[in-house]
Every structure is written in C-alpha cells, then in structure tokens.
Amino acid sequence: MTHREAFLDAAGAAQSLLEHPAVAAHWSEPSACEGFTVGGLAAHLATQVLKVPDVLAGEGDGDVPKTLLGHYSSVAWVGADLEADINVGIRDGGEALAGEGARALAEQVADVTAKLSALLGAEPADRVVTLPWVGWSLTLDDYLTTRMMEIAVHRDDLAVSVGVEVADLPEGVYGPVLDLLARLATRRHGQTAMLRALARAERAPDRVNAL
C-alpha cells in the first residue's frame, strides 16, 4: 500500500467517526483535549483532510524539503505550553470551524475524501509540497504521514471524548504513524528509554511520549 492509498484509508476512518451520532450529540461539551469542545476537536480532526487539496494546489518553492524529524524539530507547537499563541490559535481555528455544525463538517470531509483519490493519483512520485503555515516544504509522502499521525491521534481523542469505540486503523496507516511516533519518542527520550519501555517493563521509564 502506498502512502497515498493509506492516507485515503485514514481519511475514511476520520469521516466514519465524524458521522457517528455521538459526535453530534456531544458537540458543545468539553472534549478529552483541554480547551477544545467536542465540536472544536472534531473540526481539528477534519482539517487534516480538508487542507490537503489546498496544499496540493500550491506550488513547490524549489527548496530542499525538510525531513520528517526536521519538520518536527522546527514546528512551534511541539513542547509549547497549552496557552501559547500557537496552541490557542489551533483551538480557536477548530472552534470557529465547528460553528458549521456536525453534519456540515462530516459532509465536507466526505466530499473532499471522495475527490482525493484522483487528486493524489495525479501527483508525481517526487512531488514536493509547500506548507505556508510553517514556511517550508516536505515531500508529499512525508506530508501525508504527518496528516495520518494527526488523524490517528485525534481520532482516538475524539472517540474517547464521546464514549465510542473505533476499529483499529489499517496497517498501512498504523505502520507509518507508529514509525514516526517511535522515532520522535527516541529523539526525545533516547534509545535506552525506548528499548526498556518496549522490552523491559521492570525498568521501563514512566513515559516515552513522542510529542
């Protein structure tokens, strides 16, 4: 499975949860993510799909793209305080989009997901995309990996927020997400901490969070 096919599966998983009646029923309530309502969190999940056509429509800036680890070394939100401007802006954007309501948001995601197969299939293998909100470029496959990670994490956040169970993600989605999170966690905590967390419970650290 290619990254592009995997992203379509991830988008479908996000769409399925966004259409769940429990999401609409709890729309205005606090979510499991501090500062987000359920609606705001749902909207943040939705943007991981909704932004992709705009990114594809942009022109690459010709710069050498950052690596995935280089990207996460540079983004402002990693390690930022909950009330930092970047995180407040993310929450405000989600809450604003949530104003359209649960049904409208789910319909938007369904519409974009249906169009993305053709859009992604038309892109060359070496496509580089510019991310204007951060000011640098990634390969298209790396960009889609970042979106799959966001979908995987926030899909779980949203499911917990509304008290529903979701099916496991396909291996083509989960594999790249796990690899990315494991590498980010190793960079943050070191190889020894990761090895102990995964293989030696008796001396595992308290946490090996990636972000």
Side-chain angles (χ1 to χ4, degrees):
M1 179 182 289
T2 68
H3 274 60
R4 300 173 193 200
E5 292 168 337
F7 176 77
L8 293 173
D9 281 346
Q15 176 191 334
S16 178
L17 179 56
L18 289 167
E19 292 172 344
H20 196 289
V23 174
H26 294 277
W27 196 252
S28 299
E29 298 173 12
S31 76
C33 292
E34 187 175 350
F36 266 128
T37 63
V38 166
L41 178 58
H44 185 60
L45 172 63
T47 61
Q48 312 313 318
V49 178
L50 299 178
K51 281 186 176 181
V52 174
D54 290 339
V55 170
L56 294 176
E59 297 292 333
D61 59 13
D63 290 343
V64 175
K66 284 185 181 289
T67 64
L68 270 175
L69 290 183
H71 170 72
Y72 285 101
S73 295
S74 303
V75 289
W77 58 265
V78 171
D81 184 82
L82 186 65
E83 296 305 322
D85 288 347
I86 184 66
N87 285 327
V88 172
I90 289 171
R91 295 196 300 273
D92 286 350
E95 298 298 335
L97 183 58
E100 299 182 16
R103 176 178 292 184
L105 190 66
E107 289 175 351
Q108 287 182 56
V109 172
D111 182 58
V112 169
T113 299
K115 295 174 181 176
L116 276 173
S117 180
L119 289 174
L120 291 170
E123 295 293 340
D126 60 351
R127 174 69 198 275
V128 172
V129 295
T130 299
L131 312 182
W133 59 93
V134 291
W136 56 77
S137 300
L138 292 173
T139 67
L140 176 56
D141 282 357
D142 280 351
Y143 170 63
L144 294 178
T145 298
T146 70
R147 298 311 91 192
M148 288 192 289
M149 187 271 280
E150 293 281 341
I151 288 171
V153 171
H154 292 307
R155 175 175 174 259
D156 178 60
D157 290 333
L158 183 58
V160 169
S161 297
V162 300
V164 301
E165 297 288 336
V166 289
D168 287 348
L169 293 166
E171 181 57 31
V173 178
Y174 181 69
V177 170
L178 177 62
D179 179 69
L180 172 58
L181 291 174
R183 288 194 288 149
L184 291 171
T186 299
R187 184 186 66 179
R188 185 166 189 167
H189 300 281
Q191 289 186 7
T192 299
M194 280 296 294
L195 289 169
R196 289 175 178 173
L198 296 172
R200 289 293 179 262
E202 68 272 17
R203 56 177 182 271
D206 291 338
R207 62 172 61 189
V208 286
N209 56 303
L211 300 168

